[in-house]
Amino acid sequence: MSHWIVSPIVLPAMLAAILVLMVRRHLLPQRVLSMAGCVALLGIAIGQFWQAAGGDVTIYQLGHWPAPFGIVLVADRLSTLMVLVTTLLAPLVLLYAIGSGWDTRGRHFHPLFQFQLMGIIGAFLTGDLFNLFVFFEVLLIASYGLMIHAGGAERLRAGTQYVLFNLLGSTLFLFALGTIYAQTGTLNMADLALRVAELDAGANAGIRVAAVLLLMVFAIKAALLPLHFWLPASYALAPAPVAALFAIMTKVGAYGIIRVYTLVFPPELAITQGLFDTWLMPAALLTLALGMIGVLGAVRIERLVAFAVIGSMGLLLASVAVFTPDGIAAALYYAIHSTFATAALFLLVDVIQSRRGETAGRLVRARPFEGAPLVAGMFFVAAIAMTGLPPLSGFVGKLLILDAAFADPLVWWVWAVVLSASLVAVVGFARAGSIVFWKAHQQGPEPEETDPTSAPPVEDETAQNGSDEPAVPRPVLPMVAVGGLVAMLVALTIGAGPVNRALAATAEQLFSPAPYLEEVLATEGKVIKDDAHGDEDHAGDEHADEGEH
Amino acid sequence: MSLFIIVLLPFLGALLPGLMIRAGRQVCYTTTMLVTGAAAIGLATHAPAILRGETVTAKLDWLPGLGLNANLFLDPLGFMFAALILGIGLLIVAYARYYLSREDNMGEFYVYLLLFQGAMVGIVLSDNILLLLIFWELTSLSSFLLIGYWKHLPEGRQGARMALAVTGMGGLALIGGMLLLGQIAGSYDLTVILERRGQIQDSPLYLPALLLILLGCFTKSAQFPFHFWLPHAMAAPTPVSAYLHSATMVKAGLFLMARLWPVLSGTPEWTALVAGAGLLTMVLGALIAIFKHDLKALLAFSTVSHLGLITFLLGTGTAFGAMAAVFHILNHASFKAALFMSAGIVDHEAHTRDMRRLGGLRKLMPITFSIALLAGLSMAGIPLLNGFLSKEMMLEEATHTTLFGSPMLVTVAATVGALFSAAYSFRLIAHTYFGPERDDYPSHPHDPGAGMWLPPGLLIIPVVVIGLFPALAEPFVKLVTGAVIGNAAELPDAHLKIWHGLVPALWMSVIAVIGGALLLMAFRPLSKAWEAAPRPEAKAIFDDVIAGSVALSRGLTQRLHDGAFTRYAAIMVVTVVAIGAHAWFTGTAGLPTREMLPMTPIAVVAWAMLIAAAAFLVAAHRNRLAVLILMGIIGLMVSVGFNHFSAPDLALTQISVEVVTIILLLLALNFLPNRTPAESGAPRRIRDGVIALSGGAAAAGLIYTILMSDFPLGTISDYHLANSYKGGGGDNVVNVILVDFRGFDTFGEIIVLGIAALVIYALTETLLSSKVRARLLNRGYETEQAGDAHPLMMVVLTRVMMPVVLMVGVYIFLRGHNEPGGGFVAGLVVAIAVVMQYMASGFAWAARRQRYPYHGIIGAGVLVAGLTGIGSWFAGVPFLTSAFGYFRIPPMQEFELATAMGFDLGVFLAVVGAVMLSLESFSRLARRQDTEDSEYAMDIDPSRGAELVPGRAKEEN
């Protein structure tokens, strides 16, 4: 019995407990252990990914109970891929948090970070719908803690909205689970797949409701219009490394949709026809459009990036909504890409904010800041990636998605929205970058591009404040972290061929689930001693009798 | 040299100038020259093969799944463009060395320039149209950086953004067009696509593909109505204007039209669109150019006009047109780049480019004058210069072309265009160099060093040589034309020569030159009339469009995301109910399969109480304390309900949770006003009421149908019931599910609880280390305070209760596996025992007697639970696999030991720690300035005898 499938969940949980129990007042050991944990996770994730890459589905029966009666973890191509992406992201984000000192601006950053990782990884690995709910709770509450890390009135307010909205989502999740259980009597995803297919078409209203309720739960996490309202403020106001880590959180929602709606409610399933197959694509396109409109209209750069996240989720979900192997493969490629791209952008936004002083993220002219060329270069590259311009992975992802959309009846809509949204995003990012990096060099006092509706220019004030500040040596680690994320994008671009092959295989596995079902449902669990039945049962009866007395 | 290296060299080399600038400008410049030179030599090594008519290819799979591969090929067309790019590139690099001033960051400039160069070479060598797209967009991006190179100039920034927006739009359209083309042809490889003319032109997708591709080409090559970005791109340094915006990048659109000519051209749509747009652009660009006073603006519009000319030639769809286009691309590149550079020299020397402030430079700058004169006359189409030859071919082609049903239209328009073209060329020369010398130049001009005039000077050589001996260029032009037309047409047998006889084209040419000269003479009044005439200002329109869309986006975004949570929640509920209802009503609801249970009086009463409490809660929701109490009632009724439906575990848990939450909420209420202010008016309340009722009705309906139907396929619970004792060692199935069957869920949930407590603690710490602390400490009391905060009776009672409650906790813990109870409930009970002490004697007093930090208890709980799970690894079974056995230690009865108890202990610890840590955090927040830490357990303590003074009073004295 190999335990390493459960290890990426147990490791961060145990590590977090140790951090809280033993070193909660000591920064250095926290940082070292936390980073060591992330690196170890990465190692495990690479191993698991490698193992699953051959097409094997490996399961892990918690408590040695056979599915569907106990909980199983399932390591197939998709789940190990998502875990790998998470663990690639985590050390870089953590590096930034350490380098920029964000982890010292509040309590318990590192334990919460580890718990958050546990929640995300658990959500990817579990093969049980209720267990997925539990991990959603873990990642929600940990993300709330991380989001309000370091406090501040605005952030707390946004955090409250974040957690409230997502608690509504959790409630909805429970409703969905209850409905599903009432219809099928099971919670294991593989078992659900079999049972849903067996359901009587003459009484399908219940399972139809269950299917859409569950989809909306994931849609909330994935910020699908009109369930996205929690996102802009919370991502814009979360501490940068946290926002960067959240880049994978929206993908959890997308993962849920991909997993459940290929396995349990596959597109060809008769009893769920006429539901999300009709409205998911339009909703995704609206999400894309709204996100990019938000990019264009942003008054602060952090909100710009937050809306870019919404837009990218729209594009991703549009690709998912095609529900073909090509569409899913394209969506996965884009998911990986947008995870790193958004993370890089959020970190850069933080660098910009902190170096611009009081102007922070406002899109108005301010004095030039130190080290701007490097930051500008990185921002340029990350923005290219995010808007899907060549040559980076965003463009490749967009091509894949446009290509996959041929299979969809709404193909022309998809094309029109995707291409025009890209243009809007390009204009929005160019505008923001030009104001932040170029306009700073303009001579003369008149701020002619400043929008009258935005705050009055404060450059003079900042300039004075700025010149008085003593020169603080800039830490190197943050830019190393950003560089690492950008390097991921470059690697994803250059390696597009092999990556795409792996993702196509992943999608293929999702659309031919027989081995998955077989592995999950046919594996024997613990041996329950029936031969010793008489003796023990007797003792048990006796025992029980006494208890009742 | 491999084609890959030729393309990659500029990209890799782009890293060098930025680095080498540290070693000085000369080193930086030399490096850049070497990089460009190396690429040029690499290209030259292929020249013999190309001239022999061979094609060089290089293939590398990149993303075969999509058909995006790094396939390159070099044919005569690509060779001509690549040679132009690298050849002129060398001259530009040299020119820029002297053009850029000391304040300009030369390293940055060369970095962008090399990036552009690589992208441009990539376009012309791509054999894969998706790869071509990548390079295509890269030229837009590098052009964006180059136009905005002078960051301090608003024109530069705006021009850069405008160029990016327009060419970016075209690029995106091109993505669509190329994907369509690939879909039609079944391949994204150019060499394959070029073979499929019939298939493409017969496809219903031909027209959309054509439109999208042309949109890309027209924006890139500044064709009407997308011509307006090019003049604004002239805010870039002059080397950039000469290189990107006249000689190379703007020709990318032409290149693509030429490249796809065999498969796209020849249809009526193609001719109407391409020839029409080209003709219009030619005339319009030339007309505007006449009246521009800025040298670069004049040249910019003349470039627009000439691009239109070439577009028109490609649009006619004849082989002769294609040949003329190829020839004019070559000629235009040479004379226009030379003109730009000469304009840059004038600007550099005289510090102005405004022709109204120039004139008479002929004697002051003789070298520059000669260059500009030859290039300018070539542009005007004067014989013996190369511009004349290709213009004649254009006019010749125009006489054979019918557009929109009228054969004369094209002839007249082409003549008018040529006339305007001659006019602005003459004006450029006359108003800059002729006329009297002036004494009010911003700076006294003279010829620059050879470094600046040599590059344009070299470009004049082909202008003159080809002009005199056109036959020299003929083989190459025909070779390239052959590559353009492919198999789609026969190579024309026309020859390049100066004298064709008295053909109509010659007369048109004569009219154009004479007319141009006349126009120049009448320039003053015409210019006045032009200035007075109303014309649409493209930049103003563009700016308005952008500002409008920004404002619109901002309005929409901010109105939608106004931060009102109630609205967000309302939208969510409405969405969920609507989509759920849609799913329900489009399906078929089954009939109830269960009998209604009898309504017992007790159940009805409890139900009525539940409803009443909820209703009261809504009515009294502004009074927070009342809300809390009503919530307590509801919780209690729910517990009773659980018990009624034979779920004692749930009931027990629910009751303990109720107690703890009510206490914590009471503490939290401490920081809030007693009443919620009314913030919404009646319409909104009605709206919210309707939404709430619909949500409630939907939930109730759903639950009702669930309760009224059996599991259609059975449930997994039967297995749990059957195996709880045999496999999990416990009679209490609920507990066995919690700690064994689904212990992993519980593991997650205690972590959730622990995290929640940690978050509350972290939040408290953050608040207490911020400015909020002072506000918290200084706030007053809303109501009168009890004099005796720690009453004797309560202290005594809680002390007596403590061991009893602890005992109950242990009991509940131990019986958990077989009877209702377990670690979770036990944890809550024990927490309540401790909370009672805090309530009775105050936070400080109790905290001093508490030796274990609550963080630690949470951590320990998670650890214990986790380690119990990990323990099973040593037995070779999965995480959390339970083991149990029955033991007998005389004289006691037989008892059971199960590993699940260890897990339950972890649950217990985590619950205790979480509850207590939250309580501790709230208590710390609750402290006020006058709160002080009594060392006594109660305020009034009879045993303290005479000093019967409350602690508070004593301290004050």
Side-chain angles (χ1 to χ4, degrees), chain B residues 401-417:
Chain B
T401 308
T402 307
L403 207 56
F404 308 117
S406 155
M408 276 314 284
L409 172 77
V410 183
T411 311
V412 172
T415 315
V416 171

Side-chain angles (χ1 to χ4, degrees), chain B residues 49-60:
Chain B
I50 298 299
L51 294 176
R52 278 197 304 272
E54 294 167 19
T55 310
V56 185
T57 56
K59 288 187 190 300
L60 184 72

Side-chain angles (χ1 to χ4, degrees), chain B residues 70 74 80 120 202 308 395 429 474 490 535 547 550 571 581 821 832:
Chain B
L74 184 67
M80 177 181 86
M120 200 62 215
D202 294 340
L395 294 171
I429 299 164
E474 189 175 311
E490 289 291 311
R535 349 175 258 284
V550 168
I571 293 174
I832 291 168

Side-chain angles (χ1 to χ4, degrees), chain A residues 3 6 10 14 17 20-21 24 60-66 68-71 107-108 112 115 118 128 130-131 134-135 138 145 148 150-151 156 161 164-165 168 172 175 179 181-186 195 202-205 208-209 212 216 220 226-229 232 274-275 279 290 293-294 296-299 307 380 384 389-391 395-396 398-399 402-403 406 412 415 419 422-423 426 430-431 434 438-439 441-442 448-449 451 453 493-494 496-497 500 526 528 536 540 543-544 546, chain B residues 62-63 65-66 133-134 137-138 141 144-145 148 151-152 154 157-158 160-161 164-165 168-169 172 175-176 179-180 183 188 205 546 549-550 553-554 556-558 560-561 563 565 568-569 571-572 575-576 579-580 582-584 586-590 699 702 706 711-717 719-720 723 725-728 731 740-742 744-745 747-749 751-752 755-756 758-759 761-763 765-766 818-819 853 855-856 859-860 862-863 866 870 873 876-882 893:
Chain A
H3 302 291
V6 78
V10 173
M14 293 291 99
V20 172
L21 182 62
R24 66 176 174 278
Y60 189 83
Q61 296 170 327
L62 287 151
H64 213 180
W65 293 105
F69 311 110
I71 297 167
R107 291 302 176 100
H108 288 321
L112 290 175
F115 277 135
M118 175 215 173
D128 186 283
F130 189 83
N131 197 235
V134 171
F135 281 114
V138 173
I148 57 170
L156 288 181
Q161 295 201 349
L164 277 179
F165 203 100
L168 287 178
L172 190 61
F175 271 94
T179 316
Y181 190 73
Q183 302 298 322
T184 61
T186 188
R195 292 195 183 202
N204 61 6
R208 284 168 75 85
V209 173
V212 295
M216 279 187 284
I220 290 177
L227 304 172
H228 69 288
F229 285 100
L275 295 179
W279 53 256
L290 182 94
I293 286 173
L296 186 62
V299 282
F307 275 103
F380 188 66
I384 286 176
L389 285 179
F395 178 72
V396 179
K398 195 158 70 184
L399 280 187
L402 290 175
D403 190 56
F406 266 111
W412 304 122
W415 278 38
L419 293 177
S422 301
L423 178 65
V426 169
R431 187 177 154 269
S434 152
W438 283 355
K439 208 167 182 181
H441 295 275
Q442 183 174 322
E448 39 79 39
E449 266 181 61
D451 197 287
T453 56
T493 315
I494 294 175
N500 187 249
K526 68 156 68 175
I528 296 167
E536 286 206 6
H543 202 74
E546 276 164 31
Chain B
W62 181 7
L63 184 47
L66 182 67
L133 275 178
I134 290 181
E137 294 281 46
L138 272 180
L141 287 169
F144 170 76
L145 291 172
K151 305 175 182 62
H152 53 276
R157 294 198 306 268
Q158 290 157 6
R161 277 161 52 188
L164 185 67
M169 176 184 74
L172 290 163
I175 293 179
L179 283 173
L180 282 181
Q183 289 286 335
Y188 290 116
L205 291 178
I546 293 289
S549 24
V550 168
S553 309
R554 186 166 296 170
L556 180 70
T557 318
Q558 291 184 339
L560 268 180
H561 308 86
F565 180 74
Y568 297 171
I571 293 174
M572 182 202 150
T575 309
V576 168
I579 291 193
H582 169 254
W584 177 269
T586 52
T588 340
L702 182 64
I706 288 175
F711 290 102
L713 306 166
T715 119
I716 54 170
S717 314
Y719 178 92
H720 294 148
N723 291 292
Y725 183 71
K726 281 184 291 175
D731 285 328
D740 199 340
F741 288 119
R742 302 192 66 98
F744 198 52
D745 281 343
F747 185 58
E749 289 296 354
I751 286 176
V752 170
I755 298 173
L758 292 182
V759 171
Y761 170 79
L763 190 55
E765 278 291 305
T766 312
N818 291 312
E819 297 288 326
H855 296 86
V862 174
L863 261 186
I870 291 173
W873 291 354
V877 284
F879 192 68
L880 283 177
T881 303
S882 64
Q893 285 189 321

Side-chain angles (χ1 to χ4, degrees), chain B residues 28 99 105 133 219 221 370 588 600 608 619 709 713 896:
Chain B
C28 178
Y99 179 85
N105 185 345
L133 275 178
T219 49
S221 286
S370 332
T588 340
T600 61
S709 53
L713 306 166
E896 181 193 0

Side-chain angles (χ1 to χ4, degrees), chain B residues 491-555:
Chain B
L491 202 60
D493 57 358
H495 294 287
L496 305 183
K497 52 186 179 188
I498 301 173
W499 182 251
H500 290 272
L502 293 173
V503 288
L506 187 68
W507 296 117
M508 288 157 78
S509 213
V510 170
I511 295 172
V513 172
I514 295 174
L518 291 173
L519 212 60
L520 181 63
M521 287 175 198
F523 179 73
R524 245 168 239 288
L526 283 177
S527 175
K528 247 184 213 135
W530 175 262
E531 299 292 341
R535 349 175 258 284
E537 188 55 53
K539 179 166 188 312
I541 298 172
F542 178 83
D543 285 350
D544 285 350
V545 167
I546 293 289
S549 24
V550 168
L552 201 69
S553 309
R554 186 166 296 170

Side-chain angles (χ1 to χ4, degrees), chain B residues 372-395:
Chain B
L373 181 70
L374 286 171
L377 290 178
S378 176
M379 179 159 81
I382 301 298
L384 303 185
L385 295 168
N386 63 359
F388 169 73
L389 300 167
S390 41
K391 198 185 70 180
E392 284 286 292
M393 291 170 78
M394 182 275 285
L395 294 171

